[in-house]
Amino acid sequence: MGINLLAMGSYFPERIMTNDDYAGFLDTSDEWIRTRTGIDSRHMAGWEPVWYMGKKAAEMAIERAGISPKDIGLVIVSTVTSDFVTPSIASVLQYELGIENAAAFDLNAACSGFVYSVDTARRFLETDENIKYALVVSAEALSRIIDFEDRSTCILFGDGAAATVIERSDKMYSSFLNSDGSGARKLFAKNCQVAPIVKAESDFDDGFPEKPVHKLYQDGREVYKFAVKALPAAFSAAAEKIGITGEDIDWFVPHQANVRIIETAAKNLKIGMDKFIVTLDHHGNTSSASIPLALNEAIEKGIVKRGQKLALVGFGAGLSYGSVILEY
Ligand code: UT7
């Protein structure tokens, strides 16, 4: 069974952080950021909670789909920057959007979160005939967990949210999800701290580098090495399942982390860069929101058209990676 991405929506906070803004308080430059990453600017959340950004994107997607929220039977929110440890943002959105009877949960697969969520939604649609439509929302405010003193990491990230309404279809579909947990310590942000009284009495080395709670740590070079292999591997594994190659794909929509990663992966796949959607220059890396934000923008600009074959490829903390191949 395949799926149809019935409609998409997006939301960006108003504030834009340029490379020069960072150069104003960090030992960095527009030239370094641009040449090493391809990023020029990114949006940064102000007062908006992450759930609110997700709600705005979802409202747009539902309106464009022309459906009633009451017909949505599944809500999945992918995020690494939830406003809450609990409840899930998905539960908050289920109520806020007027969705009455739906399973709702958050999914954390880091920057692969959209790919994981779409594939999870497809599995629900395949096995539960009571679900007519699934809503997948990817909402992120990386600005809330980045360390603004860490110049090699903070300049990469941006904030935003995107959503899509999904229904069953008989269109082409394949997917591949994987994870290499041996790299978990290379990219992380801790969520909870040990109670001070316990910390004072004993210590435990969990093997993760020292970093304050809620601050993102990244071993950039190691993650880079992983990413340039993971991107082609994730696509090829899904493509082999249905006997296609990169030649059969109209558009690759990869996770928007660093243009050099995309260029290297394109070279390894022997696919021209003209088949890759790249929006990281003005979005930065928005973690799980990056693929749907790039896809939605390409649809709005008329670049991606109905009937075309897409490869959505994610990679990130975990280290997780995966791809979904589908017809738009
Ligand atoms: O979404 C999750 C997945 N994440 C990724 O895919 C990120 C993968 N990693 C990367 O994209 C790259 O590793 C970075 C963009 C994070 C870093 O680029 P790099 O080419 O790997 O740089 P580097 O870490 O090897 O650093 C090169 C130099 C260093 O100086 P020295 O030691 O050569 O003197 C850094 O201190 O660049 C320096 N540097 C900077 N200089 C100016 C690091 N960050 C900056 C900066 N401005 N912002």
Side-chain angles (χ1 to χ4, degrees):
M1 191 202 86
I3 54 170
N4 181 35
L5 303 183
L6 190 55
M8 297 193 71
S10 68
Y11 175 84
F12 286 105
E14 251 175 55
R15 181 178 184 159
I16 291 173
M17 279 287 284
T18 65
N19 294 344
D20 284 333
D21 289 334
Y22 276 109
F25 64 90
L26 269 180
D27 181 14
T28 190
S29 65
D30 174 57
E31 207 256 332
W32 191 96
I33 301 171
R34 207 182 282 264
T35 53
R36 305 296 273 210
T37 72
I39 298 166
D40 298 335
S41 63
R42 68 294 278 151
H43 291 258
M44 187 182 281
W47 58 268
E48 307 100 317
V50 173
W51 69 259
Y52 179 84
M53 298 200 296
K55 178 184 173 183
K56 299 301 279 181
E59 281 174 344
M60 188 187 284
I62 293 168
E63 197 193 323
R64 285 175 173 176
I67 64 160
S68 163
K70 294 179 179 48
D71 289 330
I72 294 172
L74 173 68
V75 183
I76 303 177
V77 175
S78 73
T79 185
V80 294
T81 51
S82 179
D83 309 298
F84 318 107
V85 172
T86 194
S88 69
I89 288 185
S91 286
V92 175
L93 291 196
Q94 177 256 313
Y95 170 74
E96 290 284 331
L97 295 166
I99 298 168
E100 286 177 358
N101 291 301
F105 60 90
D106 289 359
L107 187 157
N108 181 344
C111 305
S112 313
F114 181 70
V115 164
Y116 266 71
S117 299
V118 167
D119 197 50
T120 302
R122 192 202 71 86
R123 289 165 200 258
F124 269 82
L125 287 165
E126 186 172 41
T127 55
D128 188 343
E129 62 185 21
N130 293 318
I131 299 174
K132 191 169 180 195
Y133 301 111
L135 175 69
V136 168
V137 181
S138 299
E140 303 280 12
L142 277 300
S143 63
R144 304 225 165 101
I145 61 163
I146 51 182
D147 176 352
F148 284 94
E149 290 174 5
D150 179 357
R151 66 175 181 171
S152 66
T153 304
C154 70
I155 48 93
L156 300 172
F157 293 98
D159 301 341
T164 182
V165 176
I166 300 175
E167 64 181 353
R168 287 175 194 81
S169 92
D170 53 7
K171 294 197 244 181
M172 172 194 95
Y173 185 91
S174 184
S175 65
F176 172 78
L177 305 180
N178 210 343
S179 168
D180 175 7
S182 70
R185 288 164 177 75
K186 291 173 185 161
L187 179 49
F188 68 88
K190 289 196 176 182
N191 203 17
C192 298
Q193 50 194 336
V194 178
I197 192 162
V198 177
K199 183 91 178 153
E201 285 166 4
S202 61
D203 214 350
F204 176 76
D205 181 5
D206 62 6
F208 282 75
E210 277 289 318
K211 196 78 187 168
V213 173
H214 298 142
K215 287 282 175 260
L216 192 69
Y217 167 86
Q218 175 174 252
D219 181 337
R221 284 183 201 181
E222 286 299 310
V223 176
Y224 188 97
K225 282 191 231 164
F226 158 76
V228 293
K229 286 191 196 141
L231 202 167
F235 167 70
S236 300
E240 275 166 24
K241 285 187 192 176
I242 50 171
I244 64 164
T245 69
E247 297 293 315
D248 301 305
I249 298 296
D250 294 294
W251 294 107
F252 286 80
V253 190
H255 171 48
Q256 308 284 310
N258 186 328
V259 76
R260 291 190 293 134
I261 293 173
I262 300 175
E263 285 166 352
T264 306
K267 210 166 133 197
N268 291 343
L269 284 166
K270 300 189 173 57
I271 303 290
M273 272 300 282
D274 55 349
K275 273 196 177 188
F276 282 75
I277 303 289
V278 177
T279 59
L280 60 84
D281 55 325
H282 53 291
H283 291 171
N285 178 345
T286 55
S287 191
S288 76
S290 90
I291 293 174
L293 283 172
L295 177 57
N296 182 55
E297 185 174 299
I299 292 168
E300 285 179 352
K301 286 184 172 168
I303 298 166
V304 168
K305 299 183 185 69
R306 286 286 176 194
Q308 291 184 325
K309 295 181 178 62
L310 311 179
L312 317 178
V313 193
F315 52 87
L319 297 167
S320 65
Y321 57 117
S323 69
V324 159
I325 295 172
L326 48 72
E327 183 185 320
Y328 177 59

